[in-house]
Amino acid sequence: MKQLTEFVANHKRNNQLGIFAVCSAHPLVLEAAMRLAREAGTSLLIEATSNQVDQYGGYTGMTPADFCGFVYRLAEQHRLPHADLILGGDHLGPNRWQTSLSEEAMLRAEELIRSYVSAGFKKIHLDCSMSCADDPVPLTDDVVAERAARLALIAEQTCINHFGKADLVYIIGTEVPVPGGAHETLAELAVTTPQAAKATLEAHRRAFSERGLSDIWPRIIGLVVQPGVEFDHAQVIDYQPEKARELSKMIEDSQTMVFEAHSTDYQTTQALHHLVEDHFAILKVGPALTFALREALFSLSAIERELLPAHRCSGLRDVLESVMLDHPEHWQQHYHGNGEALRLARGYSYSDRVRYYWPDRDIDEAYDLLVKNLAHEPIPLPLISQYLPLQYAKVREAQLLAKPHELIIDHIQDVLRQYHAACHGEPSSH
């Protein structure tokens, strides 16, 4: 994937250049990202995880081929050229099948890789760090690397068979704690040591060599490590450059590889700039984008209540709460406390378990009614000022239409602009 290998080369020349990955399947989030990329004239990296999308449908109900079709149709709708889209697969390995025996899990992981590569995903994160039913905990670097090499061989063969050439790029390694935000309350986070990062690299180099895959090493463009960033339900651990200084220096020895930083959601603008400068040059963001979507929708719902009698309102907030209570499987293992604490977490947690509920039919109908209720008459400026003050400033300056859809998109783009600025060495306009 020439765009990504060139990006690494550019970062090696100028450490203020990075790239961010949008890790979401929500059409409004993807629209916001596509419109921003089109306006900025940049490529857009969109990633699906092995939980979201797999050969059986994942929790989105989409296979990799379905996801590709969905993204490309959205790109056409929002006039983003296909050539500017890069699709990545995240945590591809036995993640979904950890309760199975390792060989069964790996056979399913092989099929997962085939389905992603044949669909057209070009950036492949090989993650075999998780223990299966018959594995010790934790796995050794050698076992993790051997399994990753096994999947890389499948990926290469599949790419050649379907596209006539092997043009994949790879990410290796994993972060701690788990992807998607920590499950437990955080205090302080251990930064990956340079020694651990080197051990991961060397184990993978040996394993790839043993499989006859040494030639693809220059296409391994990223190593996932823990730079000391994470979030839980109500707090964020911010990047502290001094704690990652030795780790940062370690990757400078490679001309073809940078670090990939997961869970960078909710970091400050300054922290995002520092991450890129310190070679954590691939920034992953997901929950912060659907969190911004939820913020915008709650704000519009509050405006709706000011403007309309209760019987005409969408009741979006109440519908969401009702659906989450009726179907607690996406949040009950993650949120703890008494009734009021749980209610606040369901609606407002940084880990944003709300994102699993937007496709629900009742919630979708409430969303449609909300937008319809606010689309017919101009939204009074004082209410926009009250509930969406950042958008209010742009409306007053005639940079933004005071329409519900445009207000939602712009609010999501406020987050995306911080990432764009951090990856292009620009001051943030946020």
Side-chain angles (χ1 to χ4, degrees):
M1 190 71 193
K2 194 175 179 184
Q3 287 152 298
L4 289 175
T5 51
E6 285 181 353
F7 142 71
V8 175
N10 289 337
H11 175 81
K12 296 296 179 179
R13 288 190 290 269
N14 178 356
N15 71 335
Q16 292 193 329
L17 299 178
I19 191 169
F20 65 92
V22 173
C23 305
S24 177
H26 197 289
L28 288 171
V29 169
L30 295 179
E31 176 186 344
M34 289 173 178
R35 287 170 58 174
L36 187 65
R38 187 191 73 217
E39 291 159 14
T42 59
S43 296
L44 175 61
L45 174 57
I46 296 172
E47 302 212 7
T49 71
S50 56
N51 286 327
Q52 280 179 316
V53 173
D54 68 14
Q55 65 266 45
Y56 309 110
Y59 72 69
T60 61
M62 286 188 279
T63 65
D66 294 335
F67 185 82
C68 282
F70 163 67
V71 169
Y72 283 125
R73 285 191 297 274
L74 270 179
E76 288 163 10
Q77 186 179 337
H78 301 295
R79 306 192 313 280
L80 181 70
H82 286 193
D84 290 339
L85 271 179
I86 307 166
L87 293 179
D90 204 16
H91 296 287
L92 302 187
N95 180 42
R96 292 275 281 172
W97 307 286
Q98 295 178 49
T99 57
S100 302
L101 298 177
S102 57
E103 184 55 28
E104 179 188 345
M106 283 300 294
L107 288 171
R108 290 179 187 267
E110 288 183 356
E111 190 54 40
L112 177 74
I113 290 287
R114 287 190 190 96
S115 66
Y116 266 82
V117 174
S118 62
F121 287 76
K122 294 300 182 185
K123 176 178 176 286
I124 303 296
H125 176 204
L126 300 170
D127 183 7
C128 296
S129 62
M130 56 290 297
S131 296
C132 299
D134 55 338
D135 284 330
V137 181
L139 294 177
T140 65
D141 281 337
D142 287 338
V143 170
V144 172
E146 193 282 323
R147 290 178 182 177
R150 173 177 169 178
L151 296 183
L153 188 59
I154 296 290
E156 291 288 290
Q157 292 168 343
T158 304
C159 196
I160 291 168
N161 291 342
H162 278 78
F163 304 104
K165 59 181 179 178
D167 61 349
L168 303 172
V169 297
Y170 295 95
I171 307 295
I172 57 175
T174 195
E175 83 280 21
V176 179
V178 294
H183 290 188
E184 304 301 330
T185 302
L186 295 168
E188 189 174 355
L189 212 57
V191 175
T192 302
T193 65
Q195 294 76 18
K198 286 178 181 175
T200 296
L201 281 179
E202 287 310 309
H204 280 76
R205 194 188 290 274
R206 286 194 304 271
F208 277 61
S209 176
E210 287 167 7
R211 294 254 178 190
L213 293 170
S214 293
D215 288 350
I216 75 168
W217 196 256
R219 288 191 277 120
I220 302 174
I221 63 163
L223 174 65
V224 180
V225 291
Q226 177 49 266
V229 302
E230 189 51 90
F231 59 92
D232 64 9
H233 308 315
Q235 63 179 332
V236 180
I237 292 187
D238 290 316
Y239 179 58
Q240 299 179 52
E242 64 279 5
K243 291 191 174 181
R245 192 157 290 129
E246 293 306 312
L247 177 62
S248 172
K249 287 179 184 175
M250 170 252 157
I251 205 70
E252 292 175 357
D253 293 336
S254 171
Q255 288 304 303
T256 56
M257 195 179 297
V258 295
F259 289 125
E260 177 168 284
H262 291 210
S263 299
T264 68
D265 307 72
Y266 313 109
Q267 292 289 308
T268 65
T269 302
Q270 184 181 34
L272 294 175
H273 280 272
H274 285 318
L275 280 162
V276 172
E277 290 168 359
D278 290 347
H279 314 305
F280 304 98
I282 306 172
L283 303 176
K284 308 293 282 291
V285 58
L289 300 173
T290 43
F291 183 92
L293 166 67
R294 193 270 312 152
E295 282 184 325
L297 290 175
F298 278 19
S299 294
L300 290 173
S301 186
I303 291 172
E304 180 192 36
R305 287 196 303 271
E306 296 288 353
L307 292 175
L308 297 173
H311 70 274
R312 286 184 54 200
C313 287
S314 64
L316 177 71
R317 175 74 179 93
D318 294 331
V319 172
L320 176 65
E321 174 72 356
S322 177
V323 171
M324 291 183 80
L325 287 172
D326 288 345
H327 302 279
E329 58 271 16
H330 294 302
W331 60 264
Q332 64 183 354
Q333 300 301 317
H334 301 268
Y335 299 153
H336 307 288
N338 60 28
E340 183 62 16
L342 288 174
R343 186 190 69 81
L344 285 172
R346 281 191 296 272
Y348 298 97
S349 167
Y350 278 140
S351 53
D352 189 47
R353 309 302 296 178
V354 172
R355 69 186 187 274
Y356 295 95
Y357 292 90
W358 292 123
D360 178 88
R361 187 179 63 186
D362 290 342
I363 295 172
D364 201 40
E365 288 176 358
Y367 162 77
D368 287 341
L369 180 58
L370 170 65
V371 172
K372 182 180 175 183
N373 279 342
L374 294 178
H376 292 306
E377 301 289 336
I379 301 173
L381 288 174
L383 289 179
I384 299 176
S385 178
Q386 175 68 39
Y387 291 106
L388 289 163
L390 295 176
Q391 281 59 55
Y392 170 77
K394 296 170 196 171
V395 171
R396 286 286 291 116
E397 292 165 6
Q399 296 173 0
L400 179 65
L401 291 174
K403 298 289 187 183
H405 186 83
E406 294 306 305
L407 294 169
I408 294 165
I409 293 298
D410 190 75
H411 192 70
I412 298 167
Q413 286 181 338
D414 276 341
V415 178
L416 291 165
R417 288 184 193 103
Q418 295 178 68
Y419 282 84
H420 176 86
C423 290
H424 292 84
E426 301 171 3
S428 175
S429 59
H430 183 65

